[in-house]
């Protein structure tokens, strides 16, 4: 089954709730190795997305995704603002006119989004950033699409990969962002950006099932 | 947390509202946030814009005015501003001579200013951005996001602002800014954490007898902790980190008019015979009296190293909310730098 617009809107709504619930948790993760604002910023960003959503929810999926991207870009700030802003915007630029996303559309969305993260942040694998989660997830998505899975199965299969990737950020020493200034002291902490990215997949699974 | 706030959600907004009332020579916009000289755009003048998270007052909004910044973009507390702020600010202050962004090297600031530069260039406005990265506590750029932009930002805003006021074009302003950055180095020490209003609790816990060395300006922990020592010992430590710092090389990205260009920049260490501007800064919670105790020792250390302080700035200019602590910045000063340092400035945070 392709992913339809109603599911996309529910996904964004649930993400808003999740970032409100996890505001303190994400901020605590960030306080350990960053500057203690990630949860606050994500919560602010998705609250703004909810304010904007009614103006575009009858438009095509590309327009909705671009609006999410623009809103996050202009309300989140920090590093995650431009990174998530670019992620959603790049997806939106590809999916103009679409009313639903089949497996390949979904893969193209994530691939373009991750490409945006790479272009803006220039992370390498192992730098302890959200890219450490998205890189293996994108690989898994590609494998699933090659097998002919539908969007829901793709997300089901990606979640354990994301979960492992998230745990794998714990022993890494950060080389990007504020956390990099801690050097070895950044080891032993889960990356906040990878964590907020994980919620995107976890919430999507919930919505699709 | 004890702070003078009404509602945590509105901290930055209400502070900006107060600033607008207190300083009618500045114009403050709220959707999105930016502050600019009420007389901008100034005909024939390159516009100098800076920005960063709030919580570092008087930087940057307090440095808007004649002889310094044309505009400033405040983010949320300790969070970089967003590209739409810089875009609107640039459009408000550009006189046609172009805008120069002074960007502190923090991942978020860099990315947001890069996104803004692309938007502004697409509008046909000439734009250039120079990264400020003077914090010697960060030893490399291979395993980190590179040196943070700290104290030298204040000095660069003053010097480049004066040069723009004197008629330097965009390219000359950029060259001067790059030089100031390469000539300046800083180191910071925290005696206490600060509390971000939205977080409501101190960012880190520091024992009564501990200090955090090599901090940035966002309440983030430094490179290491040590037992508190006398002001002379801590000053000597900080000053030596700066004066004895070896050559530093890194790759920066600058906008070449159509795309991002990578440049390798190398700073040379301080040498005997150098003249410097010395800047002793409070992180917000340390009184100026204690800064003078730091300055006293700094002067002695510089003399021992054969370095002459020819100008100074002592006070809270780039703060970290209510954090106790100080930072030292030394800037090698040639005739061009001194001329623009001495030029008149009239802003809420700096005037002579």
């Amino acid at each position: 089954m392709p992913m339809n617009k109603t599911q996309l809107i529910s996904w964004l709504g649930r993400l808003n709730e999740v970032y409100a619930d996890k505001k303190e948790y994400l901020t605590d993760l960030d306080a350990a190795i960053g500057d203690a604002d990630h949860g606050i910023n994500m919560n602010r960003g998705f609250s703004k997305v909810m304010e904007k959503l009614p103006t575009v929810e009858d438009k095509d999926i590309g327009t909705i995704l671009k609006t999410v991207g623009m809103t996050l870009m202009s309300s989140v700030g920090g590093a995650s603002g431009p990174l998530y802003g670019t992620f959603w915007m790049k997806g939106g630029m590809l999916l103009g006119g679409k009313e639903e996303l089949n497996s390949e559309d979904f893969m193209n969305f994530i691939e373009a989004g991750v490409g945006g993260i790479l272009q803006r942040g220039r992370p390498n694998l192992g730098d302890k950033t959200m890219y450490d989660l998205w890189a293996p997830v994108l690989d898994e998505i590609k494998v699933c699409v090659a097998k002919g899975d539908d969007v829901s199965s793709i997300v089901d299969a990606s979640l354990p990969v994301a979960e492992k990737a998230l745990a794998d950020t714990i022993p890494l020493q950060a080389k990007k962002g504020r956390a990099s200034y801690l050097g070895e002291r950044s080891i032993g902490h889960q990356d906040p950006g990878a964590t907020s990215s994980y919620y995107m997949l976890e919430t999507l699974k919930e919505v699709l099932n | 947390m004890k702070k003078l706030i009404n509602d945590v959600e509105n901290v930055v907004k209400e502070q900006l509202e107060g600033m607008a009332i207190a300083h009618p020579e500045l114009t403050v916009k709220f959707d999105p946030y930016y502050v600019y000289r009420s007389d901008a755009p100034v005909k024939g003048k390159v516009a100098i814009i800076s920005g960063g998270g709030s919580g570092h007052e008087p930087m940057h909004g307090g440095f808007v005015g004649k002889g310094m910044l044309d505009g400033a973009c405040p983010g949320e507390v300790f969070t970089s501003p967003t590209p739409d702020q810089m875009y609107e600010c640039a459009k408000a202050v550009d006189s046609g001579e172009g805008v120069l962004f002074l960007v502190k090297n923090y991942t978020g600031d860099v990315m947001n200013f890069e996104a803004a530069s692309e938007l502004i260039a697409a509008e046909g406005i000439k734009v250039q951005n120079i990264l400020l990265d003077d914090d010697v506590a960060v030893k490399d750029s291979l395993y980190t996001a590179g040196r943070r932009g700290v104290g030298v930002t204040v000095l660069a805003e003053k010097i480049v602002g004066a040069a723009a006021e004197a008629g330097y074009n965009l390219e000359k302003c950029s060259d001067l800014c790059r030089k100031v950055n390469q000539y300046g180095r800083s180191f910071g020490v925290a005696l206490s954490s600060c509390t971000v209003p939205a977080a409501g609790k101190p960012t880190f816990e520091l024992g009564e007898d501990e200090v955090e060395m090599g901090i940035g300006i966002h309440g983030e922990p430094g490179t290491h902790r040590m037992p508190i020592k006398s002001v002379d010992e801590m000053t000597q430590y900080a000053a030596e980190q700066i004066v004895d710092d070896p050559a530093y090389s890194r790759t920066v990205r600058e906008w070449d008019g159509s795309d991002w260009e990578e440049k390798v920049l190398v700073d040379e260490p301080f040498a005997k015979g150098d003249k410097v501007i010395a800047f002793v800064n409070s992180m917000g919670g340390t009184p100026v009296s204690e800064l003078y105790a730091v300055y006293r020792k700094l002067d002695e250390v510089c003399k021992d190293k054969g370095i002459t302080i020819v100008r100074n700035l002592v006070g809270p200019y780039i703060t970290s909310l209510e954090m106790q602590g100080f930072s030292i910045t030394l800037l090698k000063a040639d005739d061009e730098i001194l001329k623009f340092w001495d030029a008149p400035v009239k802003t809420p945070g700096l005037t002579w």
Side-chain angles (χ1 to χ4, degrees), chain B residues 56-84:
Chain B
H56 309 302
E57 288 69 24
M59 190 175 79
H60 296 279
F63 296 141
V64 175
K66 195 169 165 55
M68 218 161 161
L69 299 176
D70 292 83
C73 305
E76 293 295 324
V77 174
F78 291 173
T79 298
S80 77
T82 55
D84 53 320

Side-chain angles (χ1 to χ4, degrees), chain B residues 52-117:
Chain B
S54 295
H56 309 302
E57 288 69 24
M59 190 175 79
H60 296 279
F63 296 141
V64 175
K66 195 169 165 55
M68 218 161 161
L69 299 176
D70 292 83
C73 305
E76 293 295 324
V77 174
F78 291 173
T79 298
S80 77
T82 55
D84 53 320
Q85 293 174 255
M86 299 138 193
Y87 175 77
E88 294 297 337
C89 184
K91 286 206 297 186
V93 301
D94 175 44
S95 69
E97 295 300 316
V99 299
L100 173 62
F101 287 136
L102 273 52
V103 185
K104 294 185 300 307
N105 188 34
Y106 288 94
T107 308
D109 292 81
V110 172
M111 284 197 260
N112 283 289
F113 273 100
E114 284 188 1
S117 300

Side-chain angles (χ1 to χ4, degrees), chain A residues 14-35:
Chain A
R14 270 298 289 148
L15 269 176
N16 177 43
E17 290 168 9
V18 167
Y19 289 129
D21 283 352
K22 303 289 186 184
K23 182 170 134 178
E24 281 195 24
Y25 175 62
L26 286 174
T27 296
D28 286 348
L29 287 179
D30 196 24
I33 56 172
D35 54 350

Side-chain angles (χ1 to χ4, degrees), chain B residues 226-281:
Chain B
M226 59 163 67
I228 189 164
K229 295 188 175 148
S230 69
V231 61
D232 276 2
E233 285 169 295
M234 287 190 290
T235 303
Q236 175 140 14
Y237 182 90
E240 282 177 352
Q241 297 302 306
I242 296 169
V243 175
D244 299 339
D245 187 59
Y248 174 67
S249 161
R250 75 290 208 189
T251 305
V252 297
R253 269 190 281 179
E254 289 185 14
W255 182 250
D256 71 359
S258 58
D259 208 347
W260 295 99
E261 180 191 26
E262 302 215 324
K263 275 191 181 169
V264 177
L265 300 179
V266 183
D267 297 0
E268 293 307 320
F270 287 102
K272 208 169 176 165
D274 279 349
K275 291 178 184 171
V276 298
I277 299 173
F279 171 29
V280 176
N281 171 63

